[in-house]
């Protein structure tokens, strides 16, 4: 039964919020059969973003990423269900939207890797850390 309670962290980035596609993204997760167990809209502080993206701090795009993610509100969500981490990542599509298949969120809604509208945990461990960091659960 533990796999039925698996949780993932999904965040709609500022461009997704600004474009008004929050409902469409929620609908896709609900239609798949996952349960929304936590959600909040927030303006992420630079400190929170630096913590969240700590593993990318040495990458050349890090300052641009922090600037982009602090440019507007984000919608932070926790989804629950069997295999939600892996399935959620498939639903999001590739990090680079140009490599994402039609039918995925990034494949359907964006074209630029620097504005790829959504974040999803890449493992159960990452999800647990991100959920605690966002204080959603």
């Amino acid at each position: 039964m533990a796999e039925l309670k698996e949780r993932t962290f999904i965040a709609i980035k500022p461009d997704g919020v600004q474009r008004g596609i929050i409902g469409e993204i929620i609908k896709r997760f609900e239609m798949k059969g996952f349960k929304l167990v936590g959600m909040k809209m927030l303006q992420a502080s630079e400190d929170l973003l630096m913590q969240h993206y700590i593993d990318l701090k040495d990458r050349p795009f890090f300052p641009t990423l922090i600037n982009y993610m602090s440019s507007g509100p984000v919608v932070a969500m926790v989804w629950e269900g069997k295999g939600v981490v892996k399935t959620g990542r498939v639903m999001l599509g590739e990090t680079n939207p140009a490599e994402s298949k039609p039918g995925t969120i990034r494949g359907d809604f964006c074209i630029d890797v620097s504005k790829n509208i959504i974040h999803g945990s890449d493992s159960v461990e990452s999800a647990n850390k991100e959920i605690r960091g966002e204080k959603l659960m």
Side-chain angles (χ1 to χ4, degrees), residues 4 9 12-13 18 24 26 29 36 42 48 52 66-67 73 76 81 91 96 98 120 129 135:
L4 295 177
F9 175 74
I12 303 172
K13 297 178 181 181
Q18 183 271 327
E24 178 63 33
I26 290 171
F29 278 85
L36 181 62
L42 67 140
L48 176 64
H52 184 81
I66 299 301
N67 192 39
M91 291 171 64
N96 183 349
K129 181 180 167 193
K135 296 175 181 57

Side-chain angles (χ1 to χ4, degrees), residues 64-135:
T64 304
L65 173 64
I66 299 301
N67 192 39
Y68 156 59
M69 289 299 295
S70 62
S71 68
V74 299
V75 174
M77 300 176 284
V78 177
W79 289 90
E80 184 177 87
K82 183 177 182 181
V84 70
V85 172
K86 183 178 179 181
T87 302
R89 294 285 290 186
V90 171
M91 291 171 64
L92 269 56
E94 300 298 321
T95 301
N96 183 349
E99 298 170 2
S100 292
K101 294 180 179 167
T104 65
I105 292 167
R106 290 179 179 141
D108 290 349
F109 295 112
C110 57
I111 56 173
D112 190 341
V113 71
S114 69
K115 292 188 174 162
N116 64 3
I117 49 178
I118 196 160
H119 164 85
S121 301
D122 61 5
S123 68
V124 172
E125 296 77 24
S126 294
N128 292 335
K129 181 180 167 193
E130 291 171 337
I131 291 165
R132 283 191 309 272
E134 294 296 332
K135 296 175 181 57

